Structures are given as C-alpha cells and as structure tokens.
Amino acid sequence: MEITLDGPRTRVTVNGTQVTDYTEGQPVPPNSPEEDLKEHGSPKRGPRPNDGYIGLQNHSDKDIVYFKEVAVKMLKNNKLPEAP
C-alpha cells in the first residue's frame, strides 16, 4: 500500500491499483442518519488539516493487523500529477 499526501490531495494505491484520489474541497456524501446514530460510525466529515498525525488502524477489536516497513518520505518534486 502506498499513501501519498500532497497538500490537499490524498492518493492511495494498493497492490498497484489506485483506490483513492481525493482533493480537499471535492464534494463527499454526508453520513446517513443511521451512520450518525452508531456509537462508532463514520467520523464527521469536514476539512482535513494539511499537517498532523498519520494514523494506521484496523476497524474491529477482533482483527489482527500487522504493519511492516512503514516509512515516510518527502515527495521528490512536492507535486502529484493533476487528477483526471
């Protein structure tokens, strides 16, 4: 898995397949009323900060998740190509 953060843009690739390409400010669907009622539902959606912590997590207390060779590096040219 490769996660690239470039200012307001987030791109995620898993096994060579891009699964996320999001730029802050693009519309996102609101949480459903059912999701808002869940104790541990989706987080409230809002602007993402340009700096802060990077968190790796699993989604169930029954899951066993391992992370191997986690690294952080600066982008070579500090820019991703424009989104299609």
Side-chain angles (χ1 to χ4, degrees):
M1 177 187 310
E2 182 175 301
I3 302 169
T4 304
L5 305 170
D6 187 8
R9 186 170 177 203
T10 301
R11 186 169 61 180
V12 180
T13 303
V14 178
N15 296 329
T17 301
Q18 183 173 290
V19 295
T20 299
D21 190 349
Y22 174 78
T23 299
E24 182 64 44
Q26 289 177 327
V28 294
N31 287 342
S32 68
E34 296 81 17
E35 193 68 31
D36 282 338
L37 293 174
K38 289 182 183 177
E39 182 180 350
H40 300 290
S42 295
K44 299 297 181 199
R45 296 175 179 165
R48 298 176 185 181
N50 285 332
D51 56 25
Y53 294 98
I54 297 172
L56 303 175
Q57 67 183 41
N58 61 314
H59 291 280
S60 168
D61 58 1
K62 295 177 179 61
D63 292 342
I64 297 174
V65 178
Y66 298 95
F67 297 100
K68 181 179 176 181
E69 299 179 24
V70 175
V72 176
K73 62 183 179 179
M74 295 293 292
L75 295 174
K76 289 181 183 177
N77 62 4
N78 292 330
K79 286 287 182 192
L80 287 172
E82 291 300 316

